[in-house]
Amino acid sequence: MNKIYAPTQEGIMQDEKEHMALSRRLAGECVVLLENDGTLPLKDIRKIALFGAGARQTVKGGTGSGDVNSRMIVNIEEGLTQAGFELTTKGWLDRRDQQIVESKKSHREEIDRIAQETGTSPILVEFNHPYKEPEMIPIEKADLDPAAEAAIYVISRNSGEGLDRFNTEGDYLLAPMEKEHLVTLAGAYQKVVLVLNIGGVMDLSEVRKIEGIGAIVLMTQLGNIGGLAIADVLTGAAVPSGKLADTWAMSYADYPSSATFSHNNGDVADDNYSEGIYVGYRYFEAAGIQPLYGFGYGLSYTTFSLEAVQTQVRDGRIYVQTLVTNTGSTYAGKEVVQVYVSAPAGKLDKPVKELKGYAKTRLLAPGQSECVLVDFPLEVMASYSEEDAAWELEAGDYCICVGNSLETADPAVVLRIAQTARLLKVRNAFKKDVEFEDWKPALNVQPSVSNLPVIEVPAEELKENTAQYTVRQELHTDRTEKLTLRDVLDGKCTVEELTAQLSVREMASLCCGTQRLGEDSSIVGNASATVPGAAGDTSRICEESRGIRSLIMADGPAGLRLQPHFKARQDGTLLPGGEMFGDAVAPFPEYDHPEDVVDHYQYCTAIPIGWALAQSWNTEIVEQAADMVGAEMEKFGVDIWLAPAMNIHRNPLCGRNFEYYSEDPVLTGRTAAAITRGVQAHPGRGVSVKHFAANNQEDDRYHTNAHISERAMREIYLRGFEICIRETQPMTIMSSYNLVNGIHTANSYELLQQIARDEWGFAGSVMTDWYATTGLAGLTEHPGQKYPVGSIVGSIYAGNDIQMPGAKEVEDGIVRAVEEGWSDQGFTASLADLQFCTANVIRSVIFAAAQNQ
């Protein structure tokens, strides 16, 4: 009998109301105020002219696996109406609405036609033919009601899994009709507010040229109650306190990766990360390029002063105290203390400044102060030497800079390292397969440190270590009685002893998901046999015989993605119907014995997107959002949330930047750690940090080869994962689709074993992303692809424990490799490798068993 957790109540439940209220409270801290001449907050205003693509069709979050099926979506029009405003533009909004309805109808008909002609699942067709909104309708003279006291214009952009954005009008660039609209509104109204309902950086250089726009608000995408949240900010009910998590350039060409990224240069198979460690603000500062808006920037409705108070070094950590005062006279607010380090030039080149820590104040009333403590380990100041294969703190003066943004971070104190310290000796893991030189600045620029207090760092604070690496051994046991998971939980045997009793076939099944190609592969990311709409399950092959149950995984990372409505027999047997295909829902057929059919409901809360959460610069509220998701996991019976997604914003056109956090690895790692803590505070519920690693391109993502230097991998693309794993020990890691220097990350022993497990101490299980080692016709294959998908055998060799979503060919391939020595893409796998992976899967089941304790 299948246990069903989903409730049978159709109407809205109390926890849904509470979760949406919490999400609304958190969202205000995620909003960044980019410009304001006093237009905001909107006071003593009753009538508003509301225009723009996102006014009624507000985007709550991106598409693909990051989507969430919520009961309701409160758009900006509804949010403003509930806030008490009278909107004067219903006619224009109705015309735009009708245009969208007709456009989506045509798109759905085209998807169905292609699916029927090709015999392909509609959802796979939609991956390759995503919906694109039509060009905006014009604003007529009759739409400009002179009684309106302010105008709000909402630009929206959507993006998602499987496709990168374009440096074109209507995407990264302003559309001609959007510019025309803004010029029209600026000429017609005294107060004009631009709201950006977007999931990634766009070019605002043309907007800045338009006179008369009084305020620009980066709303991003705030979940299913986004309309209420942004209305709170616009009215002053919530004071914006977000800060930018990325650098906004004057021109796309200013980004160092613009010349080689994705389809923009015509080559999706190979990308040389020739900018090296100089990603985002690290490049802009080193190259002397002025951005439109700098990293960490964000205004408020009030003002603050920051005064460095004290810096100390003790127990291997740096402690920076800063006094923050609300110097305004009207509004309470929150401020972010950002601490950067400017490292000395030595054998290794260094960025001008790098973020090392941050903290946000509580809500401060006018005149109120708070002493804020920011602390971080000394080791995060180290640089990676490829020559020495070590993390090193080179001798010299390290300048601690404090401010409320990168630009305002002023030198406060100097930490002096008398002698170069090798903090951790490791092994190089990423040999380049293409030769190129990483970009380096002509000069290493460091702020003036004269007249600053100097702290001599004692040598005993700089402990040197050498990483220890694992050698796998075959597992054997002399135990003759049949061992079960209960025996492990009761301390009667070890995981290794239980694993040693399993057959190769049993272990092979445990090391792949339950979906079988050809049986239920039409719904990508919707393969669970237990919780409808969940992404997948692990194997049940040993559930009855050994008590090793399956684990249920649900997509994220802006909330759980589940099927909102499904039907089942009273014994728990799931029935067809209600499956989601984009905007379409499969009908429920007529069932035999309808009196035995029960309706179940799984409405989930869509929290602000990852990019928005990072812009809060507040790990406390991020943890609260994740705690809410953990509660919904308990409610619906989900074990693993496939989040946080934490790849670096290397380029603003990556289609999944809305899911990811930042261009900076420290902000990324600390945000992901907060997500992990929030979810895993619920016993037996875990996360899967993804996509490990360097998944910075969506076009041809199964086959793209990222060519990256060892130093850039470790300092930029892995540092966030390292922070999260060391701080919180997530339940699982998900490897990415791409190759790094010619080797699929799913097959990289150096990445999964040497770095994650041996150097960082990761103790959980690793899974592949969906179809990473099998591919899927219509989704992963295309003519002329240069590289294959990942290797089934290579995953076992690398310690990639679970291949998702599962396939008979995966299970059979693993058995052939271990029993017959079959080689796949040059990889072989031993019995010891398979036992190692199996033991990791069992440990994850033990982790989940805490639900019942």
Side-chain angles (χ1 to χ4, degrees), residues 251-330:
S251 166
Y252 176 67
D254 289 343
Y255 293 104
S257 60
S258 60
T260 62
F261 179 76
S262 190
H263 49 232
N264 293 279
N265 76 324
D267 182 8
V268 295
D270 293 278
D271 193 351
N272 293 347
Y273 285 41
S274 55
E275 68 275 12
I277 64 171
Y278 295 93
V279 176
Y281 70 84
R282 290 166 170 80
Y283 175 77
F284 281 77
E285 286 226 308
I289 298 174
Q290 180 66 33
L292 193 65
Y293 298 111
F295 180 79
Y297 166 83
L299 301 175
S300 175
Y301 294 155
T302 187
T303 55
F304 297 90
S305 66
L306 280 71
E307 179 186 352
V309 175
Q310 185 182 45
T311 299
Q312 294 179 311
V313 179
R314 64 177 187 273
D315 302 324
R317 298 186 70 83
I318 301 167
Y319 297 85
V320 180
Q321 288 183 304
T322 304
L323 183 67
V324 182
T325 302
N326 182 343
T327 56
S329 58
T330 307

Side-chain angles (χ1 to χ4, degrees), residues 480-501:
T480 56
E481 73 276 24
K482 187 173 186 178
L483 301 176
T484 67
L485 190 71
R486 173 47 55 191
D487 293 323
V488 178
L489 294 173
D490 291 344
K492 296 178 181 178
C493 73
T494 65
V495 169
E496 289 74 18
E497 287 175 314
L498 172 56
T499 303
Q501 284 194 348

Side-chain angles (χ1 to χ4, degrees), residues 278 282 285-287 349-352 438-445:
Y278 295 93
R282 290 166 170 80
E285 286 226 308
D349 53 293
K350 312 285 196 332
V352 178
D438 283 1
W439 183 88
K440 296 180 181 179
L443 295 172
N444 257 84
V445 180

Side-chain angles (χ1 to χ4, degrees), residues 328-491:
S329 58
T330 307
Y331 292 98
K334 294 185 177 184
E335 183 59 286
V336 179
V337 176
Q338 304 173 28
V339 178
Y340 297 82
V341 172
S342 180
K347 180 176 64 176
L348 300 171
D349 53 293
K350 312 285 196 332
V352 178
K353 295 176 193 168
E354 291 186 289
L355 181 71
K356 298 303 178 184
Y358 60 91
K360 201 167 195 175
T361 67
R362 65 179 186 273
L363 189 67
L364 299 178
Q368 193 172 17
S369 300
E370 180 183 355
C371 193
V372 176
L373 177 66
V374 176
D375 67 293
F376 51 91
L378 272 165
E379 62 195 33
V380 303
M381 299 197 311
S383 301
Y384 188 79
S385 168
E386 294 181 19
E387 180 182 343
D388 297 334
W391 287 96
E392 297 177 346
L393 264 176
E394 292 192 292
D397 289 344
Y398 290 75
C399 184
I400 305 296
C401 303
V402 181
N404 63 2
S405 70
L406 173 70
E407 184 179 11
T408 65
D410 293 327
V413 67
V414 170
L415 301 183
R416 182 160 293 162
I417 307 291
Q419 186 174 352
T420 297
R422 181 175 293 176
L423 300 185
L424 182 63
K425 180 74 173 72
V426 295
R427 297 173 182 169
N428 284 334
F430 303 102
K431 183 179 180 181
K432 278 186 181 178
D433 60 333
V434 173
E435 286 302 319
F436 61 89
E437 290 293 324
D438 283 1
W439 183 88
K440 296 180 181 179
L443 295 172
N444 257 84
V445 180
Q446 190 179 31
S448 173
V449 297
S450 60
N451 301 320
L452 289 178
V454 175
I455 299 175
E456 302 279 352
V457 178
E460 56 266 25
E461 295 283 357
L462 306 173
K463 298 176 182 177
E464 300 189 1
N465 295 285
T466 300
Q468 303 299 312
Y469 296 98
T470 299
V471 177
R472 295 176 190 163
Q473 303 289 336
E474 285 188 16
L475 302 177
H476 301 280
T477 180
D478 296 329
R479 303 283 289 271
T480 56
E481 73 276 24
K482 187 173 186 178
L483 301 176
T484 67
L485 190 71
R486 173 47 55 191
D487 293 323
V488 178
L489 294 173
D490 291 344

Side-chain angles (χ1 to χ4, degrees), residues 125-158:
V125 174
E126 198 151 16
F127 259 105
N128 297 316
H129 300 81
Y131 173 74
K132 296 180 181 179
E133 287 199 350
E135 184 178 348
M136 296 288 295
I137 60 174
I139 295 175
E140 307 292 347
K141 186 175 182 180
D143 297 319
L144 301 172
D145 188 338
E149 299 154 279
I152 297 175
Y153 191 80
V154 186
I155 289 177
S156 69
R157 297 286 189 269
N158 207 353

